[in-house]
């Protein structure tokens, strides 16, 4: 069964990659290697808003903490992943800045300084599928493991009260053959635990509910099977529990990304602790819906996606699944979404946006954003030569097709004032100054766009062809997208993913 679960994740990543490559050839920035770095998730250290961790499906984590010069890339290999494959690893930041990553068969991986990474050996070799905070202290967490055997799979829930150093298996048991993919604890009641997953072999979506801190779990179907296509890959995650109501929660069902079988995500809501469910929102065809947040006053819900921008609804209307409840308040593509200290943070991929950003902050509840990070101003962390980071991530940074060559160097490539030497788009749209720009290491400031001859989202846009962006504080000037993959490589990826579609659907039924 472990092989099946690994196959499902790999094929899912391959299908997503093929979709990305095909799209890149015609409408999005084309890449020489890997996928676009973007802010899929945004995390803050409890009590320390200066420590920010951006979770990206490709490449790994982007982190800024005290003592660093802006954001550093922490490549996926540091915690047992693959930087060039689409992988979504649940991640938390603890009090004191420790990072914990749940990485399937690699287990639970931790780092206190972002340089040394180690596996926490507390789960008897079981795959660690997901992790979540119990409260806002940054000390208490829950994690779920899934162990495969010839007879099926067994999911177990663990808890830690010491930032992940030690873990205790909770007494409550979950239904056999239930593959858990998401867990969360109610902010107003740390004894209320929700875990969501799918029965293997094409079974229904299920939710495990505990009102006693995991001593017992009540198993409930998450909606009628007639309301969704159970044959599709639909990992579930609890995206939000109403802060002052432990009975009301929102669950995201992630639609399939297989070429030819792409389905939109779904947002489901329950106001009676999982007994009954309503579909609160479904984005447009083939759209993701990764972002979710409650407004600080608790009166509204925000959701976001690359095709839907940011949508807002009153909490009452979202819970009632009222038709037309959500209204778009921001048109730009957005992935991650979170509030911190009253400010709204959004994650993106800073291509084809105005203003562009990988991480942006809003003080007007999402109507406008000020950029905090783009793909240019990323560095490699300064670590000991024998550290995990130096040993396993240097190659992902420096090699041909690595992050530095694909992203940082394309931002800084081409001398200022030499616009037009490599293409027609070197000058600004107004025909004025060079788009080459200056470079620097600073962060923050206000980004202003200088539109070049070709749009940054145009296929095969080179460093001197695409529109450039400069940070007034001197961070960097952003060049065009990295060069495209060869057509033969592209076709091979697509063909491989297409041939694997049937296997992936079988894997979905086997592993949930």
């Amino acid at each position: 069964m472990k092989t099946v679960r690994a196959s499902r994740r790999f094929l899912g990543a391959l299908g997503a990659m093929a979709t990305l490559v095909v799209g890149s050839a015609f409408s999005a920035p084309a890449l020489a290697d890997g996928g676009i770095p973007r802010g899929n998730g945004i995390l803050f250290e409890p009590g320390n808003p200066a420590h920010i961790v951006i979770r990206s499906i490709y490449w790994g984590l982007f982190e800024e903490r005290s003592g660093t010069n802006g954001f550093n890339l922490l490549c996926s290999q540091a915690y047992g992943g693959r930087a060039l494959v689409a992988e979504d690893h649940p991640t938390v930041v603890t009090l004191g800045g420790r990072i914990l990553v749940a990485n399937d068969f690699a287990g639970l991986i931790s780092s206190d300084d972002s340089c040394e990474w180690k596996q926490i050996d507390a789960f008897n070799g079981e795959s660690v599928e997901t992790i979540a905070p119990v409260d806002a202290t940054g000390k208490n967490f829950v994690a779920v493991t899934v162990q495969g055997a010839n007879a099926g799979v067994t999911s177990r829930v663990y808890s830690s009260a010491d930032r992940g150093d030690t873990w205790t298996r909770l007494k409550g048991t979950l239904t056999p053959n239930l593959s858990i993919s998401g867990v969360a604890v109610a902010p107003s009641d740390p004894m209320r635990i929700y875990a969501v997953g799918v029965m293997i072999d094409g079974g229904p979506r299920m939710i495990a509910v505990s009102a006693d801190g995991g001593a017992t779990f009540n198993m409930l179907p998450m909606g009628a099977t007639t309301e969704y296509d159970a044959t599709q890959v639909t990992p579930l995650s609890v995206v939000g529990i109403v802060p002052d109501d432990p009975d009301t929660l929102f669950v995201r069902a992630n639609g399939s990304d297989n070429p030819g079988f792409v389905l939109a995500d779904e947002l489901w809501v329950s106001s009676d602790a999982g007994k009954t469910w309503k579909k609160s929102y479904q984005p447009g065809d083939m759209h993701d819906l990764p972002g979710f947040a409650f407004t600080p006053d608790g009166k509204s819900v925000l959701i976001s996606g690359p095709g839907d921008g940011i949508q807002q609804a009153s909490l009452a209307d979202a819970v009632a699944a009222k038709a037309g409840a959500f209204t778009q308040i921001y048109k730009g593509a957005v992935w991650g979404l979170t509030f911190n200290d009253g400010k709204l943070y959004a994650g993106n991929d800073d291509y084809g946006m105005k203003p562009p950003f990988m991480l942006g902050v809003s003080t007007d509840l999402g109507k406008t954003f000020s950029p905090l990070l783009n793909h240019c101003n990323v560095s490699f962390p300064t670590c000991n030569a024998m550290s995990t980071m130096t040993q396993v991530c240097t190659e992902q940074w420096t090699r041909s097709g690595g992050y530095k060559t694909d992203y940082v160097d394309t931002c800084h490539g081409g001398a200022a004032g030499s616009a037009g030497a490599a293409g027609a788009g070197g000058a600004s749209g107004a025909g004025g100054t060079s788009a080459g720009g200056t470079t620097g290491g600073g962060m923050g400031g206000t980004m202003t766009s200088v539109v070049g001859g070709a749009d940054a989202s145009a296929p095969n846009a080179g460093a001197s062809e695409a529109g450039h962006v400069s940070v007034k504080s001197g961070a960097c000037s952003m060049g065009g997208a990295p060069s495209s993959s060869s057509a033969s490589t592209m076709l091979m990826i697509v063909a491989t993913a297409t041939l694997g579609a049937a296997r992936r659907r079988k894997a979905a039924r086997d592993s949930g």
Side-chain angles (χ1 to χ4, degrees):
M1 297 304 298
K2 287 187 177 181
T3 302
V4 171
R5 294 185 61 78
S7 176
R8 174 175 67 87
R9 171 161 286 185
F10 173 76
L11 288 170
L14 185 60
M17 185 184 299
T19 302
L20 174 65
V21 173
V22 172
S24 297
F26 301 105
S27 61
L31 302 174
D33 207 347
I36 297 173
R38 60 170 57 100
N40 296 97
I42 306 164
L43 301 167
F44 289 88
E45 178 187 332
N48 181 15
H51 184 192
I52 308 174
V53 175
I54 307 301
R55 180 177 52 81
S56 176
I57 298 299
Y58 288 99
W59 293 102
L61 304 175
F62 295 84
E63 179 194 43
E64 182 180 43
R65 67 164 82 200
S66 299
T68 61
N69 181 24
F71 280 83
N72 288 329
L73 170 65
L74 313 180
C75 86
S76 300
Q77 276 76 359
Y79 46 85
R82 295 163 293 179
L84 305 184
V85 176
E87 297 179 338
D88 192 1
H89 300 299
T91 303
V92 296
V93 182
T94 78
L95 182 70
R98 174 179 293 173
I99 300 174
L100 297 173
V101 181
N103 189 6
D104 263 350
F105 302 116
L108 184 64
I109 313 299
S110 73
S111 179
D112 288 308
D113 61 2
S114 307
C115 289
E116 295 292 347
W117 294 76
K118 64 180 181 179
Q119 183 186 67
I120 295 177
D121 186 16
F123 304 101
N124 303 310
E126 300 166 16
S127 299
V128 182
E129 293 297 312
T130 186
I131 186 171
V134 171
D135 50 36
T137 66
K139 298 179 181 179
N140 306 307
F141 297 88
V142 292
V144 179
T145 66
V146 178
Q147 184 177 32
N150 291 334
V153 301
T154 301
S155 294
R156 299 183 177 94
V157 186
Y158 291 78
S159 68
S160 174
D162 54 12
R163 302 189 309 134
D165 283 331
T166 61
W167 292 83
T168 301
R169 180 181 165 184
L170 302 182
K171 295 180 179 179
T173 58
L174 304 180
T175 297
N177 292 329
L178 173 63
S179 182
I180 293 294
S181 57
V183 67
V185 180
S188 61
D189 181 4
M191 303 297 282
R192 181 70 62 84
I193 303 173
Y194 293 101
V196 290
V198 180
M199 299 296 294
I200 66 171
D201 298 322
R205 300 171 179 172
M206 299 289 293
I207 182 166
V209 184
S210 178
D212 51 19
T216 60
F217 282 95
N218 184 27
M219 308 301 303
L220 300 167
M222 212 209 88
T225 56
T226 56
E227 296 177 318
Y228 57 88
D229 186 347
T231 67
Q232 295 293 334
V233 179
T234 52
L236 304 176
S237 57
V238 182
V239 293
I241 304 173
V242 174
D244 59 356
D245 180 6
D247 291 339
T248 302
L249 70 156
F250 291 83
V251 170
R252 172 186 177 234
N254 186 24
S256 168
D257 294 325
N258 262 331
F261 298 94
V262 179
L263 292 178
D265 292 352
E266 301 167 348
L267 182 67
W268 292 78
V269 62
S270 173
S271 58
D272 53 11
K275 295 182 180 65
T276 61
W277 293 87
K278 298 176 181 178
K279 187 184 291 185
S280 181
Y281 184 83
Q282 182 162 349
D285 290 344
M286 301 184 291
H287 286 181
D288 286 333
L289 195 69
F292 183 96
F294 296 107
T295 55
D297 62 9
K299 295 181 179 179
S300 297
V301 171
L302 300 183
I303 57 177
S304 63
D308 292 63
I310 300 178
Q311 308 267 344
Q312 180 175 4
S314 71
L315 177 61
D317 288 346
V319 171
K322 182 179 178 182
F326 286 89
T327 301
Q328 188 179 71
I329 60 173
Y330 183 79
K331 293 183 178 180
V334 170
W335 276 264
L337 201 65
T338 192
F339 277 97
N340 190 65
D341 193 26
K343 300 175 184 177
L344 179 63
Y345 293 80
N348 211 307
D349 62 19
D350 71 21
Y351 284 103
M353 293 180 55
K354 295 180 181 180
F357 60 82
M358 273 181 66
L359 176 67
V361 63
S362 174
T363 57
D364 56 10
L365 296 179
K367 294 180 178 62
T368 60
F369 284 90
S370 297
L372 298 177
L373 166 68
N374 65 43
H375 72 266
C376 300
N377 46 17
V378 173
S379 302
F380 190 75
T382 302
C383 297
N384 184 285
M386 300 306 295
S387 68
T388 309
M389 182 59 56
T390 301
Q391 291 292 311
V392 304
C393 285
T394 299
E395 179 186 7
Q396 296 303 322
W397 177 260
T398 60
R399 64 176 175 78
S400 177
Y403 191 92
K404 180 177 183 293
T405 58
D406 258 15
Y407 295 97
V408 177
D409 288 351
T410 58
C411 298
H412 302 162
S418 61
S428 70
T433 60
S434 163
T438 60
T439 65
M443 278 295 299
T446 303
M447 279 191 186
T448 57
S449 60
V450 183
V451 181
D455 185 79
S457 64
N460 303 318
S464 66
E465 294 174 313
H468 292 300
V469 174
S470 63
V471 178
K472 286 185 178 179
S473 61
C476 69
S477 295
M478 182 163 63
S483 59
S484 64
S485 301
S486 68
S488 59
T489 301
M490 189 184 308
L491 290 174
M492 181 166 55
I493 292 174
V494 174
T496 303
T498 302
L499 289 173
R503 188 185 304 173
R504 184 181 178 194
R505 295 197 298 278
K506 172 61 167 57
R509 291 193 292 271
D510 288 344
S511 63

